[in-house]
């Protein structure tokens, strides 16, 4: 609809402003302008020949995109802008092509509903040139012959009127064509009665052309005219007549020159990938008119540059259409190997991009129409409906909800406007009213897909990302053909570098998941559940076999489980995490058995990397009435209907467990304890996963200083046959150390082995005794073992502890150790280890002005994280700094802080060490049981302070 939005105008009794809003297409206009400029330069070159049938064609610009993205509106606006008619968007600016022919835009809607067939298309093209008030004898004679043969007894004027092609030019066209007939007869000196007979005139013209007579100069200059006039005048011959149009346009005098810009809209209705009869005819028109620029808008890219279509179309391959070749489909099997043409990146960034345009490569004329940016969504809604005084009719709060739900799709915005007017008839719309999924959008999305493609589409909406084999498996189809066709549709976006490169457009996926499906082939609840089970099984197989299509499929952060010593799967860490993300969602939303998720969860925790799994939302507590997330296939409850609250499942609890473990790196440990306690209390997980949750609950309780609860949980796991039993025994040793009982901790550490991280535990025991070189050696051995087992998290943690230890001895040596720790931490989400490295940097800088500011920031950060050991280590760094600088007030402050931190009985040795550094006596008997005499430990720590003072005094 150009100009006024009549649906909105008749949707309310109020005289609201209903101007059609158009925005966010400046980039597309710039691409049109650039294509026009390039085209004009090309046809103006001395060597350009409109009758050259072998030169590559560069006269096509394609805009493609999902249904409802605004392609037809763009086509209409481009027509207005090129023709200087009202309706050109103000933001586009005045078009200007100096020293150029007059642009002649010709827009043809190929939609089935418009009733356009090929015959009418050719007539529309010819009628567009009727305004030149010049006969086009070569074309007109051929068309008159075709007309007399195929429409006997029916005048062209009557046909144009009956076909609805009523236009001022339609009245001029029959006269011009009859004039061409009469002039040809006159030039060939035919008798009057004979000169009115089309057949006899064309016969004479053919003879004249063959004999190269100069009497009919306008006709004999086109060498292929005779062949066209002799050919059977059927539809196939008609498709070659545009060659004659190109000839006639080329011979116009300079002052009458025009440059046609033909806008072919709704190209998706031309045919499908099997039936290309009409497409073949239209492609001939484009090829045979190289002096016209064709701007094509449709849902899919043109495939004309694909050599595989040879035989279905006349002109194919990248040599014929070099500017359409950037998006050639990948060879069969490429989707399975992850090889993607670089130009495919245009599909990834265009939809959802703020600029609303495709990411075109150089010379690429296939442009994906993008979504509206958030700013333009609001602008569209604000200007679409207005009060008489110009104020937006839709309130900002409602506009924000609509804009968010739309994902930038203009069709959604349009449907939301209609819903707003419908609700406004009876009451004031509220935000919940426009938080809506539209079945109409679902119907529009599915209407031009084949039944197998629709089947794959529904299955694919269960997946956050997919590749062709995964979508095919989820759909339960024996062949990949439908999935291969689907991924070429603009509603499927692509990130070539992704593990699974494809994902559905956000609003399409949301609608498929939630809107009521009233289509003939809609799925039942059981259909959705079955598809979810198929997808879940296929994802599990993908993790087990390690196959993927993404570029990073072979990458692995670590293939061995830290806790169990088991591998993360054949595909490595990246495949594991991707499979977990999708598998958890499917199991939770469709209430599936855990199956392979159990082993995958163990593999996930094994490397201590803690990548975000991004579950849909936190799982509910089983004792509450909070509902789980709605099933992917379940429509939103309508007004007046209450949503049932399903009971929590093992999948809910596994989602909550892994989410808590991931988020603990970014949340206060108190929240981690609450979440894991809910899981443990539910008893919904199988025994091995229950013990996993219990272990990490005990670990978080230890971080908070809840020793009794932590010890109970650790002991339960240590006494079990769980894969975490060695880690729990290590946890018990840590608790002994937390109590300050080093002899008991040292004895218990013996025999922990690799699974119990014996070397790191021994390092943790030795460094508080200021036996730093010995502790560093233990950490080095721990790091080496982690490297041998390819466990990235343990490797980074051991190196961080080594860096912290050596930071007390020599800042120069510590630099390299800290750098290595930071390098090993890259890409890992290990909050406590990150704090350790930052604390090592403070210790290295102790005694210098560089210490103070980062130390204060780290003190705040560790406090917010709720990790007692990290807080105590930061205060120890402060104590070392103040001891080196001799700041007695600072020492008093840090001792007070440590007394507060250790008041509950945890980490008493930190307070002792702070006194030792400052060479102050302990105010009361120590609660720490050392491995060496206390005075020996005191001397070692004080010697480190003295050594640091000497280093600073010497400028080191």
């Amino acid at each position: 609809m150009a100009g006024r939005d009549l649906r909105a105008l008749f949707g309310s009794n109020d005289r609201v402003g209903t101007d059609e809003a158009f925005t966010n297409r400046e980039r597309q206009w710039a691409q049109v302008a650039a294509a026009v400029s390039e085209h004009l330069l090309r046809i103006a070159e001395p060597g350009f020949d409109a009758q050259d049938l072998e030169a590559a064609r560069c006269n096509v610009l394609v805009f493609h995109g999902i249904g409802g993205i605004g392609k037809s509106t763009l086509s209409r606006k481009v027509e207005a802008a090129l023709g200087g008619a009202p309706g050109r968007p103000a933001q586009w600016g005045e078009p200007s092509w100096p020293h150029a022919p007059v642009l002649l835009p010709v827009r043809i809607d190929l939609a089935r509903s418009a009733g356009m067939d090929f015959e009418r298309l050719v007539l529309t093209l010819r009628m567009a040139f009727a305004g030149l008030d010049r006969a086009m004898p070569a074309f007109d004679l051929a068309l008159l012959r075709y007309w007399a043969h195929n429409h006997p007894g029916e005048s062209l004027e009557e046909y144009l009127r009956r076909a609805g092609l009523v236009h001022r030019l339609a009245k001029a066209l029959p006269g011009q064509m009859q004039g061409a007939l009469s002039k040809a007869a006159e030039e060939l000196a035919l008798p009057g009665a004979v000169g009115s007979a089309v057949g006899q005139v064309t016969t004479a013209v053919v003879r004249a052309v063959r004999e190269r007579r100069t009497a009919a100069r306008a006709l004999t200059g086109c060498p292929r005219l005779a062949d066209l006039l002799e050919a059977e005048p059927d539809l196939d011959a008609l498709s070659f007549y545009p060659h004659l149009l190109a000839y006639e346009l080329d011979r116009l005098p300079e002052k009458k020159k025009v440059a046609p810009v033909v806008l072919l809209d709704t190209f998706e209705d031309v045919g499908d990938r099997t039936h290309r009869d009409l497409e073949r005819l239209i492609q001939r028109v484009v090829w045979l008119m190289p002096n016209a620029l064709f701007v094509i808008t449709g849902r899919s890219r043109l495939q004309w540059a694909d050599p595989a279509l040879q035989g279905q179309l006349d002109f194919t391959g990248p040599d014929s259409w070099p500017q359409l070749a950037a998006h050639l489909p990948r060879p069969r099997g490429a989707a399975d190997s992850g090889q993607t043409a670089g130009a495919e990146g245009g599909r990834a960034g265009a939809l959802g991009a703020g600029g609303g345009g495709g990411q075109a490569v150089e010379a690429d004329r296939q442009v994906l129409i993008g979504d509206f940016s958030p700013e333009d969504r609001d602008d569209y809604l604000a200007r679409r409906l207005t009060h008489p005084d110009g104020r937006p009719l839709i309130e900002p709060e409602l506009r924000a909800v609509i804009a968010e739900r739309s994902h930038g799709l203009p069709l959604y915005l349009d449907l939301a406007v209609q819903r707003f007017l419908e609700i406004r008839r009876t009451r004031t719309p509220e935000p919940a009213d426009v938080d809506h999924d539209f079945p109409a959008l679902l119907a529009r999305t599915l209407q031009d897909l084949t039944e197998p493609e629709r089947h794959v589409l529904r299955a694919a909406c269960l997946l956050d990302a997919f590749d062709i084999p995964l979508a095919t498996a989820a759909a339960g189809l024996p062949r990949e053909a439908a999935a291969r066709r689907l991924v070429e549709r603009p509603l499927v976006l692509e990130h070539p570098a992704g593990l699974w490169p494809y994902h559905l457009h956000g609003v399409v996926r949301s609608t498929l998941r939630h809107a009521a499906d009233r289509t003939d082939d809609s799925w039942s609840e059981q259909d959705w559940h079955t598809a979810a089970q198929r997808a879940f099984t296929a994802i599990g197989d993908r993790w087990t076999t390690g196959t993927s299509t993404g570029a990073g499929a072979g990458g692995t952060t670590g293939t061995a489980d830290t806790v169990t010593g088991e591998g993360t799967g054949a595909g490595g860490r990246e495949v594991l995490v991707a499979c977990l993300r999708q598998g958890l969602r499917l199991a939770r939303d469709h209430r599936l058995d855990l199956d392979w998720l159990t082993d995958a969860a163990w593999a996930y925790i094994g490397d201590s990397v803690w990548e975000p799994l991004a579950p849909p939302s936190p799982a509910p507590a089983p004792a509450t009435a909070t509902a789980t997330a709605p099933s992917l296939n379940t429509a939103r409850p309508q007004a007046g209907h209450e949503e049932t609250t399903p009971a929590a499942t093992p999948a809910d609890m596994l989602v909550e467990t892994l989410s808590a473990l991931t988020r603990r790196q970014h949340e206060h440990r108190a929240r981690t304890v609450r979440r894991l306690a809910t899981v443990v209390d539910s008893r919904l997980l199988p025994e091995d996963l229950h013990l996993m949750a219990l272990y990490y609950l005990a670990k978080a309780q230890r971080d908070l200083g809840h020793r009794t609860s932590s010890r109970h949980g650790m002991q339960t796991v240590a006494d079990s046959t769980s894969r975490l039993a060695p880690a729990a025994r290590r946890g018990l040793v840590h608790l002994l150390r937390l109590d300050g009982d080093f002899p008991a901790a040292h004895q218990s550490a013996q025999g922990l082995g690799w699974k119990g991280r014996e070397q790191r535990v021994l390092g943790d025991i030795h460094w508080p005794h200021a036996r730093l070189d010995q502790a560093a050696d233990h950490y080095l051995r721990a790091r080496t073992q982690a490297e041998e087992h390819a466990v990235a998290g343990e490797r980074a943690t051991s190196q961080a502890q080594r860096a912290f230890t050596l930071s007390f001895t020599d800042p120069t040596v510590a630099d390299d150790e800290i750098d290595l720790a930071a390098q090993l931490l890259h890409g890992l989400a290990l909050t406590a280890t990150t704090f350790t490295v930052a604390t090592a940097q403070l210790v290295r800088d102790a005694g210098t002005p560089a210490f103070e500011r980062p130390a204060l920031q780290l003190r705040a950060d560790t406090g917010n994280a709720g990790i007692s050991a990290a807080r105590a280590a930061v205060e120890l760094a402060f104590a070392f700094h103040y001891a080196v600088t001799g700041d007695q007030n600072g020492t008093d402050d840090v001792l007070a802080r440590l007394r507060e931190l250790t008041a509950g009985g945890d980490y008493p040795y930190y307070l002792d060490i702070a006194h030792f550094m400052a060479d102050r006596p302990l105010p009361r008997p120590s609660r720490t049981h050392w491995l060496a005499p206390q005075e020996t430990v005191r001397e070692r720590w004080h010697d480190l302070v003295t050594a640091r003072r000497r280093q600073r005094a010497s400028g080191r």
Side-chain angles (χ1 to χ4, degrees):
M1 296 171 294
R4 303 287 285 175
D5 181 352
L6 295 181
R7 284 182 301 164
L9 181 67
F10 285 86
S12 172
N13 290 330
D14 298 334
R15 292 293 298 172
V16 299
T18 57
D19 289 341
E20 184 184 43
F22 183 78
T23 185
N24 196 37
R25 298 304 183 210
E26 293 91 338
R27 182 179 300 180
Q28 282 72 42
W29 170 243
Q31 288 163 324
V32 170
V36 170
S37 298
E38 180 184 331
H39 177 73
L40 294 177
L41 289 172
R42 183 169 53 253
I43 63 176
E45 292 175 353
F48 177 79
D49 182 3
Q51 298 190 71
D52 186 347
L53 299 180
E54 296 181 357
R57 293 303 191 253
C58 299
N59 61 329
V60 179
L61 173 63
V62 180
F63 291 109
H64 63 100
I66 187 174
I69 201 69
K71 301 180 296 295
S72 294
T73 303
L74 174 66
S75 180
R76 290 194 299 268
K77 298 297 183 181
V78 168
E79 178 190 26
L82 295 177
R88 174 183 56 80
Q91 66 265 40
W92 283 5
E94 290 284 351
S96 175
W97 291 278
H99 312 297
V102 175
L103 292 178
L104 182 63
V106 185
R107 184 173 179 273
I108 302 175
D109 189 353
L110 299 173
R112 297 187 186 95
S113 59
M116 182 63 65
D117 56 23
F118 184 71
E119 192 174 83
R120 293 179 64 182
L121 182 148
V122 174
L123 285 173
T124 302
L125 274 177
R126 175 60 184 92
M127 192 166 58
F129 304 125
L132 301 177
D133 197 25
R134 291 178 59 89
M136 295 188 162
F139 177 85
D140 290 348
L141 284 176
L143 184 60
L144 281 171
R145 180 170 179 266
Y146 169 87
W147 198 261
H149 184 273
N150 292 279
H151 296 268
E154 181 178 19
S155 70
L156 179 61
E157 185 175 9
E158 173 61 22
Y159 176 84
L160 293 175
R161 184 194 62 78
R162 184 172 54 81
L165 298 175
V166 180
H167 190 275
R168 62 179 180 85
L169 299 179
K171 298 179 179 179
L173 179 59
Q176 291 179 7
M177 296 180 68
Q178 190 61 42
L181 182 68
S182 301
K183 186 174 181 180
E186 179 182 345
E187 290 177 345
L188 297 172
L190 297 176
V194 174
S196 62
V198 174
Q200 296 183 12
V201 171
T202 54
T203 300
V205 168
V206 169
R207 187 181 305 113
V209 172
R210 298 290 191 204
E211 296 173 358
R212 300 181 180 276
R213 298 183 198 171
T214 58
R217 188 176 295 108
L219 299 173
T220 57
C222 184
R224 294 179 179 83
L225 174 61
D227 298 290
L228 289 173
L229 292 178
E230 288 181 324
E232 180 72 17
D234 54 16
L235 198 64
D236 195 61
L238 179 65
S239 68
F240 289 98
Y241 292 178
H243 172 72
L244 304 177
L245 266 183
Y247 162 73
E248 297 287 7
L249 290 170
D250 192 51
R251 58 185 292 272
L252 289 173
E254 286 301 320
K255 292 185 178 180
K256 292 283 188 176
K257 286 284 188 184
V258 295
V261 179
V262 183
L263 299 109
L264 301 178
D265 190 27
T266 326
F267 202 81
E268 67 268 15
D269 279 3
V270 164
D272 55 37
R273 300 299 167 85
T274 303
H275 303 92
R276 296 182 182 268
D277 296 338
L278 179 55
E279 184 179 5
R280 183 175 65 254
L281 301 178
I282 294 176
Q283 192 212 40
R284 283 178 188 163
V285 174
V286 178
W287 183 270
L288 296 171
M289 296 186 69
N291 48 356
L293 176 66
F294 289 81
V295 180
I296 299 176
T297 46
R299 294 199 179 185
S300 301
R301 299 188 303 272
L302 288 186
Q303 296 181 305
W304 295 353
D306 188 349
L309 295 184
Q310 187 175 9
Q312 289 184 280
L313 302 176
D314 291 346
F315 311 99
T316 59
D319 293 335
S320 297
W321 308 94
Q323 293 179 326
L324 303 182
H327 289 289
L328 282 177
R330 286 171 284 179
R332 182 178 301 276
D336 300 326
S337 64
Q339 301 301 316
T340 306
E344 289 287 351
R347 304 182 63 205
L351 278 168
Q359 305 296 316
V361 298
E362 184 179 358
D364 180 19
R365 288 285 188 84
Q366 304 243 40
V367 180
L368 184 63
I369 299 292
D371 296 325
F372 284 171
S373 67
E375 296 78 12
D376 282 317
R377 299 172 204 174
D378 184 75
D379 182 57
Y380 178 97
L381 294 169
R383 293 193 290 118
R384 180 65 180 274
L385 299 176
T386 57
H387 291 284
D389 61 2
R391 290 181 297 109
L393 187 65
I394 306 178
E395 296 296 327
E397 186 179 7
L398 272 68
R399 296 203 305 267
V401 175
I402 296 172
E404 178 68 22
R405 286 297 309 276
S406 73
H407 292 267
L409 184 67
L411 175 59
Y412 185 98
L413 300 175
D414 181 64
L415 293 171
V417 167
Q418 300 306 315
R419 178 172 174 79
F420 172 85
L421 288 174
E422 179 182 351
I423 296 173
R424 188 172 175 269
R425 294 174 186 171
T426 56
R427 58 182 174 83
T428 301
E430 299 176 352
D433 295 321
V434 293
D435 185 11
H436 187 71
D437 293 290
F438 294 102
L441 194 150
L442 179 62
R444 286 281 298 272
T445 300
L446 298 177
Q447 67 182 8
D448 64 333
L449 301 180
T450 64
E451 183 176 352
E453 288 173 340
R454 293 195 298 270
H455 190 74
V456 176
L457 177 65
R458 288 189 172 94
C461 87
L462 295 168
L463 303 168
D464 300 321
F466 59 92
D467 57 19
I468 289 172
L470 186 57
T472 302
L477 296 179
R479 292 178 294 277
E480 294 182 351
R484 290 184 179 277
R485 293 195 303 271
L486 181 67
V487 299
E488 294 179 13
R489 303 280 186 171
L491 54 84
V492 178
L493 309 184
E494 183 175 9
H495 289 292
L499 186 66
W500 292 321
Y502 303 110
H503 65 278
L504 295 182
H505 184 278
V507 76
V508 172
R509 187 177 185 217
S510 174
T511 303
L512 284 166
R513 288 165 58 186
H514 300 299
D517 190 343
R518 298 290 185 264
T519 57
D520 291 340
D521 57 352
S522 62
W523 282 7
S524 68
E525 289 292 324
Q526 184 58 45
D527 292 333
W528 283 106
H529 184 84
T530 301
Q533 184 64 64
R534 286 195 302 261
F536 180 78
T537 301
I539 293 169
D541 292 342
R542 187 66 58 87
W543 169 57
T544 303
T545 62
T547 57
S548 69
T549 63
T556 173
T557 308
T559 58
D561 190 317
T562 293
V563 177
T564 66
E566 298 174 357
T568 57
R573 187 78 187 177
E574 189 176 3
V575 175
L576 165 68
V577 172
C579 292
L580 261 178
R581 285 173 179 158
Q582 302 218 68
L584 286 170
R585 180 188 291 270
L586 287 169
R588 175 192 143 147
D589 292 345
H590 293 272
R591 309 178 75 77
L592 306 177
D593 293 336
L594 294 182
D595 195 46
W596 59 268
L597 284 177
T598 297
D599 287 337
W602 281 107
Y604 172 75
I605 70 167
D607 204 28
S608 300
V609 179
W610 311 118
E611 304 93 332
L613 292 177
S617 60
T624 68
T626 304
T628 58
S631 176
L632 293 179
N633 55 292
T634 304
R636 294 175 180 270
Q638 303 298 314
H641 298 274
E642 294 185 1
E643 184 178 6
T644 58
T645 304
T649 66
D652 292 319
M653 292 298 103
L654 183 56
V655 168
E656 181 70 350
T657 298
L658 297 181
S659 174
L661 297 185
T662 301
R663 290 299 305 164
R664 74 196 171 111
Q665 306 298 332
H666 312 283
E667 296 176 339
H668 196 283
R669 286 295 194 268
R671 173 160 171 74
T672 305
V673 166
R674 288 195 298 271
R675 296 180 69 179
L676 292 177
T678 299
V679 173
V680 170
D681 292 344
S682 74
R683 301 294 306 190
L684 285 173
L685 289 175
E687 184 65 16
D688 55 345
L689 293 178
H690 172 79
L691 291 171
M692 175 198 291
L694 181 60
Y695 168 77
Y696 283 102
L697 171 61
K699 194 173 180 181
Q701 289 169 331
R702 184 190 70 205
D703 289 340
L704 290 174
H706 302 166
R707 286 179 295 165
T708 302
S709 299
S710 178
R711 183 176 289 108
H712 175 74
M714 289 291 184
Q715 192 64 59
T716 301
V717 178
D719 291 342
S720 72
T721 58
S722 169
R723 285 175 270 192
L724 281 169
R729 288 192 285 273
R730 179 180 77 243
L732 292 172
V733 174
H734 284 321
L735 286 170
L736 291 171
R737 181 170 56 85
L738 185 146
D739 284 340
D741 191 350
F742 285 109
H746 188 266
Q747 182 178 359
S748 299
Q750 308 304 315
L752 283 177
W754 154 246
K755 289 185 177 181
R757 304 298 184 261
E758 180 177 335
Q759 291 301 318
R760 176 157 62 87
V761 170
L762 291 174
D764 293 342
I765 291 172
H766 284 298
W767 80 255
H769 294 79
R771 301 180 65 175
L772 301 180
D773 291 337
Q774 185 174 353
D777 289 342
H778 283 297
Y779 290 134
L780 178 59
R781 284 193 285 270
R783 190 192 77 194
T784 302
Q785 288 179 339
E787 289 170 345
E788 291 171 352
H789 289 82
V791 181
E794 176 62 24
R795 179 180 60 177
T797 298
S798 298
Q799 177 58 30
Q801 287 296 129
R802 176 176 166 83
F804 170 74
T805 299
L806 293 177
S807 293
F808 285 102
T809 60
D810 189 335
T812 304
V813 173
D815 281 337
D816 293 338
E817 300 295 337
I818 291 171
D819 289 344
L820 177 57
Q823 179 183 342
L824 297 181
L825 261 177
H826 182 70
L828 306 181
L830 299 172
T831 302
T833 303
T834 301
F835 286 153
T836 301
V837 175
T839 307
Q841 292 171 326
L842 293 184
V843 175
R844 177 199 62 192
D845 295 336
T848 70
F851 176 91
E852 198 72 27
R853 178 172 295 182
L856 291 173
Q857 181 61 54
L858 188 59
R859 174 184 276 171
D861 292 343
T862 54
N864 292 334
I867 304 176
S868 300
R871 294 175 64 191
V874 171
E875 295 305 328
L876 193 65
F878 270 101
F880 188 56
H881 172 69
Y882 292 141
V884 172
T885 59
D887 186 341
Q888 298 301 317
N889 291 332
T891 297
D892 290 341
D893 176 69
V894 77
L895 290 175
R897 287 177 173 275
L898 283 170
R899 276 194 294 271
E900 182 180 352
L901 281 173
T902 60
D906 298 336
Y907 303 109
Y909 53 90
Y910 277 95
L911 182 59
D912 293 356
I913 294 172
H915 281 87
F916 299 161
M917 288 177 173
D919 198 21
R920 292 190 182 186
L922 296 178
R924 61 180 64 88
S926 173
R927 292 181 284 123
T928 305
H929 302 283
W930 300 99
L931 291 175
Q934 187 181 102
E935 285 304 313
T936 301
V937 178
R938 172 188 288 273
E939 289 174 6
R940 291 173 184 163
W941 280 113
H942 188 62
D943 287 346
L944 289 171
V945 171
T946 303
R948 180 60 59 91
R949 287 174 179 167
R950 288 196 300 268
Q951 292 167 354
R952 295 310 182 200
S954 65
R956 292 175 58 191

